[in-house]
Structure formats: structure tokens, C-alpha cells
Amino acid sequence: MKKEKFKRVRVLCREDSLRDVLAVLLSGNFKSEVPAAKNEAALDFRRVEGDDPYEKPIKRLSSVAKYAGWKYTLPEKKQDLPQDFDSKTEEIYNKYKKFKRDKQLLLEQREECEEGKKRIRLFSGLPVDIQALTECEFVKARFGHMPKDCLKRLLEIHKDDPYIEFFKSYESETDCWGIYLVPRSDFERVDSVFASMLFEPINIPSASGEAEKVEEQIDKNIEILNRQILEAEALEEYYFKLHFEFCNSLYHTLVNESEKFEILKSGLLNNNSYILCGLLPLSTKDETEQRLKEIDGAFYTESETVKICLLYTSDAADEAR
């Protein structure tokens, strides 16, 4: 934290000189204040209204930078703001969203395949065609797992029920994985019996063949998805490399314009005249005053000196811009 002396100043300017005045004030680390409108109200001055038109595109470009892994750096040469900055920003932002959405879809598909592969391994001990089993017309197949002690009780209680049977494929210290079959005409009763014994169903990937064959098919799908992900990443990298300099320059220009707008928003307006009030650091006051006097249609006045505690120095502010 640093205490710095400021001069309270007021600048009156015409609309045709406003952009030059704002640029000079911003470079001098001018800190805007809302002017006391008592005298100005009699002259029919009013507050400048409206939302910051640069806020949204700045956020858009920040999102693009975060996704692309960019760090915007201050360009060597300042660029003028293009008239179509809004549409240009939207175009790049929409491209970024498409990249993100397409890649996320591929990653989710790969994750689903990998999870399916883990699940199918739990049933590799079943010497049956999984797809043929799931497509049986009169029998429903339920894949899942349940605690060992529950399975033991289930088989004891329902030992005389021909429809209560569990075919194990894998077991851990606590649980058994496997399958039970139930006629479609009696599935509600049998399902409720297994559910009462804490049976948890597991969705199995749709593929033909025994578990080992299904796993091979999943591996092939994962290989295809990995290639598609690499291709998507290469396309992203090429696009973002092509557009970095433009986005970097546009971002800093928009930030600069947004800071000017904040100064303007604290000012007063009457027809084509503006009053801008605020504080100038003593360290930049003389140079700023001289530059303002060189602008046709700009009038500068100053009053008392004040001391303000700052969280950062003016050099840090320049670097941020």
C-alpha cells in the first residue's frame, strides 16, 4: 500500500475532442470522480448513461484465452479498435465454444468406453454372448452385484424357487458380480426379491460376443476416439496460433476503451460538451496538463491537493493496461 498525492482536476471538452482527452487522462493515471452536479444541473448537464459496450467482448476473449492457454501480453504497438469488433469477437468466441463442445463430446465418449470396459471385465467369467443374452425375447438378463452375505441368504430362502438363481462371474472380499435371468412374465417379482437383497444393476455396453470379445471391440472404439481427439486438438492449436496476435491486440484495445468509458461514465454531458472530474497524480499532472492544452476544444482546471492510499502504484496500473 502506498500513499500518493493527487490534484483534483476538472476537464471540459467538446465531443470531437473527447477521444483524445480520454486517451491523455488514461495515460496519466487519471482516477475519475462523480462531479458535484449542483452547478452543472443549472446548465442542463446530465450524467452519461449506458452500459459498458466493451465488457462482454472482453469476457469473451478472456474465456478464449483461458481455454487456449494464452496469456495476453501488452502489444508493442497500440491498434485502433475495429468497427466490427463485436462481430469479430463473437466469431472467435463461437469457434472456441464449438472446439470445446466437440472435444468434450469425444472425451465423454472415451470415458464412457473406458467405464464400459471396466464393467464388462467384471463379467468376463460368463461364457455367453452378451448381446444375444440381452436380446432374448422371453427372458430378461440382469447384470450387477450384491453383497456375499445377501447372496447366501437369497439362495437359502429361495432354494425351491426355480427362477431365483445367480450366476457369478467375479467376486471380491465383500461382493459378488454376475447375472440373473428372469422370465419376462415374472420379472417384477424376481426383481423385487433381488432388490431386497441389495442387488445393484450395472449397465453393460451394447456389443456382440463374450465379454473378452466385447472388450476388444471397446478397445477399438477407444483407439478411434483417441485419434479423433488428437485431430481435434491439432485443429484447435492451428486455429488459436493463427488468431493469437489479433485476439491479444483486440483484448488490450478493448480494455483500454473500457477504461476510457469508465472515465466517461463518471462525467456529465450537455449536447456536445462533457465535464470530466477526478484526480491526477502529482507525478503525471504537469505532463498531462500540457498534453490537454494541446488538444483543441479541451479546457483544464485544478483545485486542491489530496492524499490517497493506493493498493498498487501507477507503474503497476500501466503494466495492467
Side-chain angles (χ1 to χ4, degrees):
M1 186 176 291
K2 178 182 178 183
K3 240 180 186 179
E4 190 171 346
K5 290 184 178 180
F6 288 79
K7 202 74 172 177
R8 184 164 275 118
V9 303
R10 172 177 295 197
V11 180
L12 176 66
C13 68
R14 299 194 307 261
E15 186 174 14
D16 58 357
S17 60
L18 178 63
R19 289 189 64 81
D20 291 337
V21 168
L22 290 172
V24 170
L25 290 176
L26 189 60
S27 66
N29 294 320
F30 175 83
K31 303 186 181 302
S32 58
E33 290 184 322
V34 178
K38 183 171 60 176
N39 296 329
E40 287 77 3
L43 299 174
D44 198 27
F45 276 86
R46 66 184 187 279
R47 290 290 304 276
V48 176
E49 298 178 350
D51 297 326
D52 184 350
Y54 312 107
E55 182 179 1
K56 182 179 176 180
I58 287 172
K59 288 181 178 178
R60 293 278 203 248
L61 290 177
S62 295
S63 297
V64 172
K66 183 177 180 180
Y67 181 78
W70 289 343
K71 183 177 181 180
Y72 289 133
T73 55
L74 197 64
E76 295 181 3
K77 185 178 179 181
K78 289 185 177 181
Q79 301 292 329
D80 293 332
L81 185 68
Q83 291 184 347
D84 60 348
F85 72 89
D86 211 7
S87 61
K88 287 286 188 184
T89 303
E90 283 299 307
E91 178 185 335
I92 292 170
Y93 180 74
N94 288 333
K95 193 72 174 178
Y96 134 75
K97 283 202 302 183
K98 187 177 186 307
F99 280 140
K100 183 178 180 180
R101 183 174 59 250
D102 292 349
K103 184 177 175 181
Q104 185 61 34
L105 181 60
L106 291 171
L107 291 172
E108 288 174 358
Q109 290 176 343
R110 184 176 68 180
E111 183 179 359
E112 186 177 338
C113 285
E114 290 170 345
E115 287 299 317
K117 184 177 175 181
K118 292 177 184 177
R119 293 196 300 269
I120 204 68
R121 281 179 177 172
L122 297 171
F123 304 97
S124 58
L126 297 172
V128 293
D129 186 310
I130 290 177
Q131 185 173 3
L133 197 59
T134 57
E135 292 177 352
C136 285
E137 184 176 356
F138 301 106
V139 175
K140 283 191 174 185
R142 303 295 198 213
F143 295 87
H145 69 99
M146 60 194 304
K148 282 184 174 181
D149 56 343
C150 290
L151 176 59
K152 184 178 179 181
R153 289 207 316 272
L154 173 74
L155 297 178
E156 288 175 354
I157 295 171
H158 299 276
K159 60 183 179 181
D160 296 326
D161 190 329
Y163 296 131
I164 304 297
E165 185 62 75
F166 188 76
F167 302 95
K168 289 192 293 184
S169 61
Y170 173 80
E171 61 181 272
S172 66
E173 292 184 4
T174 59
D175 282 32
C176 292
W177 279 258
I179 183 176
Y180 70 85
L181 305 174
V182 55
R184 290 183 180 269
S185 59
D186 200 23
F187 75 91
E188 289 185 356
R189 181 186 70 84
V190 176
D191 282 349
S192 65
V193 169
F194 275 87
S196 68
M197 293 296 174
L198 305 181
F199 178 83
E200 293 185 23
I202 296 176
N203 290 325
I204 296 299
S206 177
S208 61
E210 296 181 5
E212 289 81 0
K213 294 292 183 182
V214 174
E215 188 174 340
E216 289 178 10
Q217 293 176 49
I218 293 175
D219 282 335
K220 290 178 182 178
N221 290 339
I222 292 175
E223 287 180 15
I224 293 171
L225 288 167
N226 283 335
R227 286 198 300 270
Q228 291 176 334
I229 290 169
L230 289 174
E231 290 170 1
E233 289 175 343
L235 187 61
E236 281 181 10
E237 184 179 359
Y238 174 76
Y239 180 85
F240 289 134
K241 186 177 181 180
L242 202 63
H243 288 81
F244 171 73
E245 288 188 11
F246 173 78
C247 290
N248 183 62
S249 176
L250 179 58
Y251 174 81
H252 284 284
T253 303
L254 287 168
V255 169
N256 189 265
E257 293 297 325
S258 179
E259 291 173 338
K260 291 177 187 176
F261 183 81
E262 285 303 308
I263 295 175
L264 178 61
K265 200 172 179 182
S266 299
L268 294 172
L269 165 67
N270 178 8
N271 293 328
N272 294 325
S273 298
Y274 291 85
I275 294 177
L276 306 173
C277 298
L279 303 170
L280 267 177
L282 290 186
S283 57
T284 65
K285 183 190 77 69
D286 291 342
E287 181 183 352
T288 303
E289 179 183 359
Q290 182 59 40
R291 291 177 64 189
L292 287 170
K293 288 179 178 179
E294 294 172 359
I295 299 174
D296 185 33
F299 304 92
Y300 170 92
T301 60
E302 61 183 50
S303 57
E304 75 269 24
T305 300
V306 295
K307 287 184 179 180
I308 296 180
C309 289
L310 300 179
L311 294 178
Y312 55 86
T313 65
S314 58
D315 290 340
D318 287 339
E319 185 178 344
R321 275 197 286 273

